[in-house]
Each structure stands twice: as structure tokens, then as C-alpha cells.
Amino acid sequence: MSKIKIKKIVSVGLCMLLVGMISACGSTTSTKVTTSKQAQNKDNLTIVTSFYPMYIATLNVVRDVEGVEVVNMTPPITGCLHDYSVTAKDMKLLEDAQIFVINGAGMESFMDDVVSQMKHLQIIEAAKGIELLEEDHEHEEEEEEEEDEDHEETFNPHVWVSVTHAITQVQNIQNELSILDPTRSEAYEKNAQAYIQKLEELRANMHRELKDITQKDIVTFHEAFPYFAQEFDLNIVGIIDREPGSEPSAKELIETVEQIKTLGIKALFAEPQYPSKAAQTVAAETGAKVYILDPAATGPMEADAYIQIMNKNLEVLKEALK
Ligand SMILES: [Zn+2]
């Protein structure tokens, strides 16, 4: 099976690669663990989030609300959970929590069995009600060998990369949280509204700034951007994917280079978490330039991180597509 190829659509998980990055980075950024004192207090609430984007969204809803703690299950450098396995530590964390905020759309489906056994745990699915894009399997028909075992995800789960869907996720988290914890519902609502207003301003600004861009065709390196592209009217005409830890062969590189030349692509968008050696090689051969677009799947554990990341993406797009 070829290690590098350009496809109309992707089905290989972006974050398979991120998993490999954990050891590469050597970072041991750890999640905060619930203190036993807090777990003992009946009025206190511990909310666990499955991964980084859920943590940032939830943090904004519960910020400064007394007696509520939000803990991210996975270290922020983990990114997506496509290749993640639940650890004993995760199980303990969930046992001590009351609420588990997940993205849904298939991102955490590997946890279904674990979670169904924890009867005490309330699940908030942030992607609920969002119209999902299918993982496009069109290209698979063209491929000789298809391993369908890994194809559990029918829909693309990267909804938060669209600002509009990120807003829906915040609203969903707040709605569900207010139902589960009505005594604090006013504070949740106030927080959510303030954050949503910021996200709406961000979205309006991005639309304004990207309005006059004529070069709408982009090539990315994973399947994280379809919702983002949909929102800002960009066409993902190619996705170069590469298996983690492998180098493309000369033949594969040549194929990729030919396709990019044929498509007349001027800008390639790699991701910060992804080693861009292949991108650099392809760029050198085609004259296309490599830019970094961030799917906000990793980052600082700060409430405004998503907005900062998107503002950076906006600057990158303006520079790349002008
Ligand atoms: Zn992903």
C-alpha cells in the first residue's frame, strides 16, 4: 500500500500521527487529577472531557463556577482519539467523575463498552444534532486492497474545526449541563453566552477577511479540515496522507508531485503536530509553498486558546491564498 498519495478525500485519521508524537516530544504534560477532598464533597461536580477541544469548550462554560472542576482525560498533546486506548488511570478518573463530555460523531466510539458499564456517569455529546459530513469512501473503489477493519468511523468527527459547529458544541454542553446541574444553570448560561459571542465575532471577522480570496482550492495533509472548508467556502482538492513514521518512496513522491502540478496547487497546508518533511519535499519539487493550518486538536489549556488558534489560521490563509 502506498505511503503517500494525493486523494480527493481522506479517510485516514489525522490523529493517528499525533499519537506517535507523544513519545517523540518526550513531554509528560499531565492532566489535573481530582483531589480526594473535592470528590468527597457531595455538592462538588467533577466533569471529565475526552480530549482537547472538548476541554476548551467545557472550560469556557464552567469557568469561575464554584465547586465545578473540569479535567481533561488525555494530555493536551494527544489530539484526536482515533488511535487512543483507554488506560486504567482514565477508568479511575471516570469512576470519580459525574459527567463525561465527549465530541461524539464516532470520535470516542472505542469507549462505548467502558462507559456503558459506568451507570453513574452522565454523558454529554457535544456534536449532537450537527449535520455530519461522511468520510468519503469514493476513492476506495479505485484501490485494490482495502482493509475495512479500521473503518468504523462513517462520519468525519472533526466538527469543532468549523466555528459554527464549535458554537453548537458549546451550546449543547451548556444545555445538557444545566439540565444535569440545575442549581448552577444560570452561571453556565451566562458563561456560554459570553463565549459564544466571542466565537460569533471570530466567525464574522473570518468571513469578512476571507471574502475576497480568489484562490479557493487547497491541499491539506489530513482529514481534519472538511468542516472548516465548508464554512469558509474553500475547496479541498487534494489530501496528501502518509502513514505515521513512514517515508514515502521515490515513486510515490513523483506521483504526488505530478498530481499537484496538474491541479495547479500553489499552497500546501500541513498541521503543526505533523512532521512536514514530506510536505517540504513536495513543495520543493512543485514550487508550492507549505503553510501551517491548526485543527485546534492540541494546544494550551487556556479558555481563549481556540480563538487564538483560529485567528492564527486566518492570518495563514490570507497570506497563502492572497
Ligand atoms: Zn482527527
Side-chain angles (χ1 to χ4, degrees), residues 85-98:
S85 301
V86 187
T87 67
K89 201 177 147 210
D90 299 338
M91 300 277 281
K92 179 76 179 75
L93 193 63
L94 292 172
E95 272 166 22
D96 292 341
Q98 290 82 48

Side-chain angles (χ1 to χ4, degrees), residues 76-316:
I77 55 161
T78 306
C80 293
L81 304 174
H82 307 301
D83 233 19
Y84 189 78
S85 301
V86 187
T87 67
K89 201 177 147 210
D90 299 338
M91 300 277 281
K92 179 76 179 75
L93 193 63
L94 292 172
E95 272 166 22
D96 292 341
Q98 290 82 48
I99 294 171
F100 186 31
V101 179
I102 63 169
N103 178 71
M107 183 63 86
E108 297 90 351
S109 54
F110 65 97
M111 293 190 73
D112 286 353
D113 288 346
V114 173
V115 168
S116 68
Q117 284 164 29
M118 296 192 181
K119 302 291 181 206
H120 73 285
L121 198 62
Q122 302 283 348
I123 311 294
I124 294 177
E125 191 179 335
K128 201 169 146 185
I130 291 174
E131 194 178 329
L132 301 176
L133 296 173
E134 279 187 42
E135 295 270 35
D136 203 315
H137 298 295
E138 204 179 290
H139 63 279
E140 285 171 14
E141 290 157 26
E142 300 158 23
E143 284 180 23
E144 303 275 316
E145 33 176 357
E146 253 322 306
E147 348 85 86
D148 269 324
E149 295 153 38
D150 292 334
H151 278 281
E152 281 171 26
E153 279 174 21
T154 315
F155 295 101
N156 189 313
H158 304 85
V159 290
W160 71 90
V161 191
S162 146
V163 182
T164 296
H165 295 332
I167 290 171
T168 302
Q169 292 200 304
V170 171
Q171 192 65 67
N172 280 342
I173 292 167
Q174 184 255 303
N175 287 346
E176 297 285 320
L177 199 52
S178 294
I179 292 168
L180 295 170
D181 184 24
T183 55
R184 299 185 181 94
S185 61
E186 250 178 66
Y188 297 143
E189 199 180 331
K190 198 170 156 243
N191 279 345
Q193 286 319 310
Y195 184 47
I196 285 171
Q197 197 183 331
K198 284 190 201 172
L199 291 173
E200 284 172 347
E201 282 164 14
L202 168 76
R203 181 177 58 184
N205 185 47
M206 289 180 83
H207 275 293
R208 209 164 31 236
E209 297 278 334
L210 294 173
K211 189 167 48 89
D212 298 328
I213 276 171
T214 49
Q215 172 62 42
K216 301 257 183 193
D217 295 342
I218 66 170
V219 168
T220 63
F221 279 75
H222 300 292
E223 46 40 298
F225 288 100
Y227 294 99
F228 181 90
Q230 185 185 45
E231 172 144 285
F232 296 108
D233 213 14
L234 302 169
N235 311 313
I236 299 179
V237 295
I239 295 164
I240 299 167
D241 74 52
R242 192 169 68 96
E243 289 171 17
S246 66
E247 289 300 322
S249 70
K251 181 172 169 280
E252 287 157 355
L253 268 183
I254 289 166
E255 281 171 13
T256 305
V257 164
E258 285 309 312
Q259 280 165 312
I260 285 176
K261 281 181 178 168
T262 307
L263 291 165
I265 298 298
K266 301 276 183 289
L268 308 173
F269 294 96
E271 292 166 23
Q273 301 85 357
Y274 182 75
S276 63
K277 203 177 157 194
Q280 300 296 352
T281 308
V282 171
E285 291 295 322
T286 59
K289 215 174 150 189
V290 180
Y291 297 90
I292 302 293
L293 264 192
D294 192 336
T298 61
M301 306 291 270
E302 294 158 12
D304 283 337
Y306 178 87
I307 291 172
Q308 285 166 18
I309 290 167
M310 283 300 160
N311 275 323
K312 210 167 159 194
N313 284 338
L314 173 62
E315 292 311 312
V316 170

Side-chain angles (χ1 to χ4, degrees), residues 27-96:
S27 167
T28 52
T29 315
S30 61
T31 50
K32 209 164 129 200
V33 176
T34 317
T35 64
S36 54
K37 210 179 187 179
Q38 273 180 317
Q40 279 160 13
N41 189 328
K42 262 182 75 182
D43 292 332
N44 283 341
L45 183 64
T46 301
I47 302 169
V48 174
T49 54
S50 59
F51 75 127
Y52 183 74
M54 297 304 101
Y55 176 83
I56 298 302
T58 307
L59 187 64
N60 277 284
V61 177
V62 309
R63 71 194 294 187
D64 301 330
V65 179
E66 214 170 304
V68 181
E69 186 186 28
V70 54
V71 184
N72 198 35
M73 187 180 80
T74 48
I77 55 161
T78 306
C80 293
L81 304 174
H82 307 301
D83 233 19
Y84 189 78
S85 301
V86 187
T87 67
K89 201 177 147 210
D90 299 338
M91 300 277 281
K92 179 76 179 75
L93 193 63
L94 292 172
E95 272 166 22
D96 292 341

Side-chain angles (χ1 to χ4, degrees), residues 5-18:
K5 63 187 71 163
I6 180 159
K7 295 173 175 178
K8 273 195 162 176
I9 330 276
V10 225
S11 66
V12 172
L14 130 86
C15 303
M16 291 173 71
L17 302 149
L18 300 183

